Amino acid sequence: MSRSRLLSAILFALALFPVSAEAWEVIITKTGETVEGVVVKETEEEVTVNIYFSAIPGMEYELRVLAKKMIAKRQTKDRPFETYLTKRAAIKADDADGHYQLSVWCKEQKLAAEMNDELQAALDIQPDHKDARAALGDSKADKYLADRKKEKEVFRPLEEKYVACEDQKEQKSIYAELKKQGYKNPQHYLDRIARSMKQTKGQTTDVRLTLLSDKVPGVYTLYVPESYDPWKPYPLVLGLHGGGAAGKAGEFVNGTGKDTMPFYSGPAAKKNWIVVCPNALRAPWRETENEALLEACLKEIELSFNVDLNRVYLVGHSMGGWGTWHFGPKWCDRFAAISPNSGGGSNGIAQLVKTQTPIYFYHGADDNVCPVPDSRQAAKSLKKSTADFVYTELPTTGHGFPGNVVDDIFNFFDLKRLAVQGGGGKSAPFARSLGARSSFLMDLTPEETKYLAKLGATGDSAAAGASKTKGFVEQLSLGGRNGEEAAKKLIELADKTTLRPLSQVLLKGTSADARKFAADVLAEIGDKSVVQPLCQALADADLAVRAAVARALGKIAEPKVVPALLQALDAQGKELESKKTKGNEIEDADWEKNLDVLGWLTWSLGKLGAGDKRVHTGIVNICATKVLLADVVVPHDNLSSYEDPKTVSERFCLVVITALKELGQSTTAETVKKLMARFPACQPVQDAGKEALEKLGSTPE
C-alpha cells in the first residue's frame, strides 16, 4: 500500500470520531515540589490535581489539592504526537489551509513524517496550494500528485476489476497488468480484500474459529462496523472476558465473549472500530491453551479484515483484567496500548515501560470480588516510571465497569500507536508512527491457504462426484467454520460413499468440532451401517460429541444399539454423580452439560426401547430417581454464563416424561406423577405429564 493511500486511510480514521488529549500539567510549588497530573478542579484559591492522570469525575483516591498562593510555576506537559492527533482531528475535510498550518506546527515540533503527511493532505484537497508546494518542493509535489492520479485512474479500476472477478485465470491476467503498470502490492493483498468483502458486518456471536481449528478449538464474538470498507485499515480491539473456572474439575469456563461484548460494541460503533472477544478455553486466561487461542484468533481477524497493525489494542475486565496484565507485557510488540481493569497480576510493568506501551486501568475502590490493592500498587509503580498511563479509581462502583470509563479507555486508545524499536540493537529507541500498517500486506502463509481460503468456497467447487465429497470430508475434518460449512454440504449431498471416511473422523478426528459434525452428518444420512462406530463414540471425551452421537443413534433408529445406549446412560449418570462437590451440590456447568448428554440418550432410548423393561428401569432409576427427584443443589447466580439450572432441569424432565410415555410401561405412571409434583409451576411439564398419564391409563392426582 502506497504512502499516499495510507494517508487517505489516516484521514478517514481521524474523521470518524473526534479525539482529544487531556491537558497534563506540571506544577512546581514554592517549596520545590513537582506535582504532575490532570487538573480536575480549579477555584480562585485552589487547584485539584489527579496525579494518576484520570479526568473521570468522582475519583477521590490520592487527589492533590494545592493552594494557588503556594504555586511557583504551571506548565503543560509536552506531548506533541497526541497534540498533533488532536489538532488534525479538528481540521475540516475540505480545509487545505488547515493542513498546511498544521504542517508548520509539526515542523516546529520536529515531527518530520507528520509534517510531510500534512503537506500531502493539503495537496490532496488543493493540488495548486502554493505554500504546501513550496514547503514540499515542486518536484516532490508533482511526483506525489502524479502517483495519486495513477492510483485513482490506473490502479484502482484494475484492483476493483480483480476483486470482482472469480475466474483465477482472468485474475492472473489482471494482476499481470497491474504489475506492468508498476503496482507494488502482492497478489494476496487483493485476494484478502476480495474475501473480506464477503464478511458479515455488525455483531456476530459464537463464531467458530477457523484458523488452526483442528489444533485449537474456540469461538469468538465479533463486532464489525456497518461502514467497514476492506480497502482501508481499521483499529482492532481484543477484549478478554471476565468470569472464572467452572465445573468441579475446573475444565469449563464461566464467562464468554458474548457476555463482554456489550461493554465495547457501543464505543466501537461510535469510532468505527473492529472488536473481537474470544471465549477462554480454560480459566484463568494465563493458562497455556489460551495463548494458542488468542494467537489464532488475532491472526484470523487480521487476515479476514483490513486491520491497522499499528492500532491493535488489548482490554479486559475482572478475569480479563488479569489476562490483560499477563498478555500485555508478553505481547507488547503487537499492542499499541492495553487496558487491564478490575483485575490484578501487574508483574510486567517494567516490560511495558521499556517498550513504551501505554496503559489505562480502572478499579472500584469498594470491589469485593477482586480487591483494589494490586491496582493501587501498580499505579504507584507507574507513577515512579516514565510510563504513559492513566489510573481511574471510583469509590462506589464495586466490581462494575462503568460506561464512561469504557468510553475514556477507547478515547485513550484513539491517541495511541504501536511503538516500534528502531535499528541498532536492544538499546535502540522506540518510536511511534502515524502511518497505518495494513494486515493485508502480511506475508502469505501455508496456514492461511489451508484454513481460510476454503471458507465460503465449498459451494463453488468445480470438482464432481467422489472428488467433491472427499474435499468436503477433508474440510469437515478441520473443524471450526470450515467443518460447519462442509457438514451442511455433506448433508445436502447425502452421499453414502462418505460414511466410512466420516466414521474415521468421528473416531480419530483431532478436533472435537469435527467429530461432532461427523456425527451430525451420519445422523442425517441415516444409514444403519454406521451404528458400530457411533456406539464406540458414545465414550468420546467431549460431552458435546457424546450428545451428538446419542442423537444420531436415535435418528438412525436401529434397535440393536439399545444395550450400548443403556450402558452410556449408566456411565453418564455415574459421571454426573461424581461431579458432586460438598454434600449434594453440583456446579451449574456440570449440571447443564451432563444433562444435555443424558437428555439425548433418553430421547433415543424412548424411541427405540418400547416394550423393553431394561430401558424403562434405566430411565426411571437414573434420569428420574437419581437426577430429577434427588435432593441435588445446583448453586447459580446472575454472574454465571450458564443457563438457570431450574430451566435445564425442566427441559430434561420434559424429555424423560416423553420417553416414559413412549415406552408405555404401566408402572411408569407413579414416576410421571412424582415428576409433575417436582415441577408444579412448569406448565409444559404439567401438560406433558397429563398427556403421558392419559396414554398410560392413569389420571393426575
Side-chain angles (χ1 to χ4, degrees):
M1 183 182 287
S2 68
R3 183 169 179 83
S4 56
R5 187 171 294 176
L6 285 175
L7 178 61
S8 296
I10 296 162
L11 286 168
F12 162 80
L14 287 171
L16 293 175
F17 197 75
V19 293
S20 62
E22 295 293 343
W24 290 13
E25 289 198 35
V26 178
I27 300 175
I28 301 173
T29 69
K30 291 179 180 179
T31 61
E33 181 186 10
T34 299
V35 179
E36 186 176 332
V38 173
V39 174
V40 293
K41 184 180 179 182
E42 184 169 356
T43 66
E44 291 183 2
E45 293 82 22
E46 295 177 335
V47 173
T48 303
V49 182
N50 186 317
I51 63 170
Y52 298 115
F53 308 106
S54 176
I56 293 290
M59 181 164 171
E60 300 173 355
Y61 178 63
E62 292 196 353
L63 294 179
R64 291 293 307 277
V65 180
L66 304 173
K68 283 189 173 180
K69 63 183 181 181
M70 294 301 296
I71 295 175
K73 185 178 181 181
R74 288 177 66 175
Q75 61 186 43
T76 301
K77 185 176 181 179
D78 189 26
R79 294 191 296 162
F81 186 78
E82 294 189 6
T83 304
Y84 164 67
L85 290 177
T86 302
K87 287 177 176 290
R88 182 164 196 164
I91 298 174
K92 294 181 179 179
D94 59 350
D95 187 359
D97 284 335
H99 286 289
Y100 172 72
Q101 293 301 327
L102 184 53
S103 76
V104 174
W105 180 88
C106 288
K107 184 177 181 179
E108 294 170 353
Q109 300 296 320
K110 298 181 180 180
L111 298 174
E114 289 74 16
M115 177 192 73
N116 196 61
D117 287 340
E118 292 309 310
L119 293 172
Q120 291 177 352
L123 292 177
D124 278 335
I125 299 167
Q126 186 180 333
D128 61 350
H129 194 285
K130 183 179 178 180
D131 292 331
R133 289 185 63 86
L136 194 61
D138 284 338
S139 60
K140 287 184 178 180
D142 289 341
K143 185 179 184 307
Y144 172 75
L145 291 171
D147 288 344
R148 287 290 280 161
K149 182 177 181 181
K150 190 173 185 178
E151 286 179 6
K152 294 176 182 178
E153 298 179 5
V154 179
F155 290 163
R156 180 47 65 92
L158 287 170
E159 287 176 324
E160 290 177 345
K161 184 178 179 182
Y162 182 100
V163 300
C165 176
E166 295 186 1
D167 183 89
Q168 291 185 358
K169 288 184 178 179
E170 187 177 347
Q171 285 180 329
K172 187 176 181 181
S173 174
I174 297 168
Y175 187 70
E177 179 60 26
L178 277 165
K179 293 291 286 182
K180 183 179 177 181
Q181 295 293 336
Y183 191 68
K184 302 297 184 184
N185 291 339
Q187 188 170 354
H188 60 254
Y189 168 78
L190 296 174
D191 291 332
R192 288 166 177 168
I193 287 175
R195 186 170 65 222
S196 192
M197 285 181 167
K198 301 174 184 177
Q199 300 291 338
T200 302
K201 298 177 184 179
Q203 183 169 318
T204 312
T205 54
D206 295 336
V207 181
R208 292 182 186 274
L209 189 68
T210 302
L211 197 68
L212 301 175
S213 53
D214 53 343
K215 300 178 180 66
V216 183
V219 298
Y220 56 82
T221 293
L222 178 67
Y223 174 79
V224 179
E226 294 293 344
S227 62
Y228 172 73
D229 177 357
W231 295 101
K232 302 181 179 76
Y234 285 69
L236 169 66
V237 176
L238 172 63
L240 305 185
H241 65 75
K248 181 180 179 181
E251 73 270 39
F252 305 124
V253 177
N254 188 13
T256 66
K258 180 172 62 176
D259 296 336
T260 204
M261 181 60 82
F263 288 132
Y264 311 125
S265 56
K270 292 176 184 176
K271 293 182 179 292
N272 279 1
W273 291 4
I274 300 169
V275 182
V276 62
C277 299
N279 291 9
L281 297 175
R282 298 276 292 191
W285 276 105
R286 66 174 178 270
E287 292 291 330
T288 306
E289 299 98 311
N290 294 322
E291 183 165 349
L293 166 71
L294 294 181
E295 282 275 14
C297 183
L298 273 174
K299 188 57 65 71
E300 179 168 320
I301 300 304
E302 290 166 356
L303 293 174
S304 302
F305 299 93
N306 197 342
V307 170
D308 181 354
L309 296 176
N310 282 336
R311 301 194 66 188
V312 179
Y313 307 103
L314 176 65
V315 62
H317 177 259
S318 190
M319 183 178 84
W322 286 82
T324 301
W325 277 122
H326 175 76
F327 285 106
K330 191 168 190 176
W331 292 350
C332 52
D333 59 336
R334 69 194 314 169
F335 295 125
I338 69 168
S339 181
N341 303 286
S342 302
S346 55
N347 300 317
I349 286 177
Q351 182 67 7
L352 294 169
V353 174
K354 177 184 176 182
T355 56
Q356 296 183 23
T357 304
I359 311 152
Y360 186 119
F361 59 119
Y362 148 84
H363 219 121
D366 58 341
D367 189 335
N368 58 9
V369 175
C370 185
V372 74
D374 187 88
S375 288
R376 287 181 173 177
Q377 184 55 50
K380 292 179 184 299
S381 297
L382 287 165
K383 184 68 178 175
K384 296 175 183 177
S385 73
T386 58
D388 176 2
F389 82 99
V390 171
Y391 174 55
T392 296
E393 179 180 311
L394 297 178
T396 59
T397 51
H399 196 58
F401 199 14
N404 63 331
V405 172
V406 181
D407 287 340
D408 208 37
I409 291 167
F410 272 64
N411 289 335
F412 178 84
F413 284 169
D414 215 348
L415 295 170
K416 310 303 175 185
R417 304 294 185 270
L418 182 67
V420 179
Q421 192 168 24
K426 294 182 179 180
S427 60
F430 285 79
R432 304 182 191 282
S433 172
L434 176 68
R437 188 160 56 99
S438 171
S439 60
F440 283 175
L441 290 173
M442 293 190 298
D443 291 341
L444 186 67
T445 65
E447 289 79 16
E448 180 181 0
T449 303
K450 178 179 178 180
Y451 295 94
L452 296 181
K454 294 180 179 180
L455 193 62
T458 55
D460 302 322
S461 174
S467 176
K468 186 174 185 178
T469 55
K470 181 182 178 182
F472 289 150
V473 174
E474 289 175 352
Q475 187 175 343
L476 181 143
S477 70
L478 297 175
R481 275 190 291 167
N482 275 308
E484 195 171 32
E485 286 190 357
K488 293 174 183 176
K489 293 296 180 182
L490 288 166
I491 289 171
E492 288 177 11
L493 291 170
D495 187 340
K496 292 190 177 182
T497 65
T498 63
L499 294 175
R500 185 171 180 178
L502 284 171
S503 297
Q504 290 296 308
V505 174
L506 174 66
L507 295 176
K508 298 181 180 179
T510 57
S511 161
D513 270 355
R515 300 197 301 274
K516 177 189 177 300
F517 294 143
D520 291 340
V521 177
L522 293 173
E524 298 306 316
I525 294 176
D527 192 277
K528 294 184 179 182
S529 66
V530 297
V531 295
Q532 184 177 352
L534 282 167
C535 286
Q536 287 179 252
L538 283 169
D540 194 282
D542 188 87
L543 292 175
V545 176
R546 282 187 225 170
V549 168
R551 172 183 169 274
L553 288 168
K555 289 207 70 170
I556 293 172
E558 169 55 68
K560 70 180 183 182
V561 304
V562 165
L565 287 168
L566 280 171
Q567 185 178 359
L569 186 76
D570 181 64
Q572 200 66 46
K574 289 177 179 176
E575 184 169 330
L576 180 61
E577 181 72 20
S578 73
K579 298 300 181 182
K580 289 182 178 178
T581 52
K582 50 185 179 181
N584 281 333
E585 277 194 8
I586 296 178
E587 290 203 19
D588 56 359
D590 288 324
W591 186 253
E592 179 179 322
K593 290 179 177 292
N594 280 274
L595 257 61
D596 189 40
V597 181
L598 284 169
W600 283 112
L601 289 167
T602 303
W603 177 80
S604 294
L605 284 166
K607 290 187 66 177
L608 304 176
D612 191 326
K613 290 184 178 179
R614 296 172 303 165
V615 174
H616 171 264
T617 301
I619 292 176
V620 169
N621 288 347
I622 297 171
C623 300
T625 306
K626 293 184 178 180
V627 178
L628 290 170
L629 298 175
D631 187 21
V632 176
V633 178
V634 187
H636 183 75
D637 59 45
N638 59 8
L639 295 177
S640 175
S641 58
Y642 292 91
E643 199 171 2
D644 186 337
K646 183 180 178 183
T647 303
V648 174
S649 301
E650 290 170 347
R651 184 168 59 241
F652 180 51
C653 185
L654 280 171
V655 176
V656 172
I657 289 176
T658 302
L660 291 175
K661 180 187 73 174
E662 297 300 324
L663 293 172
Q665 298 286 328
S666 59
T667 54
T668 297
E670 289 305 311
T671 301
V672 172
K673 290 177 182 178
K674 289 178 182 178
L675 292 173
M676 293 173 69
R678 185 72 166 182
F679 302 99
C682 180
Q683 195 58 46
V685 166
Q686 298 303 309
D687 293 341
K690 290 174 184 176
E691 187 178 331
L693 291 175
E694 184 178 338
K695 181 175 180 179
L696 296 169
S698 182
T699 56
E701 294 179 352

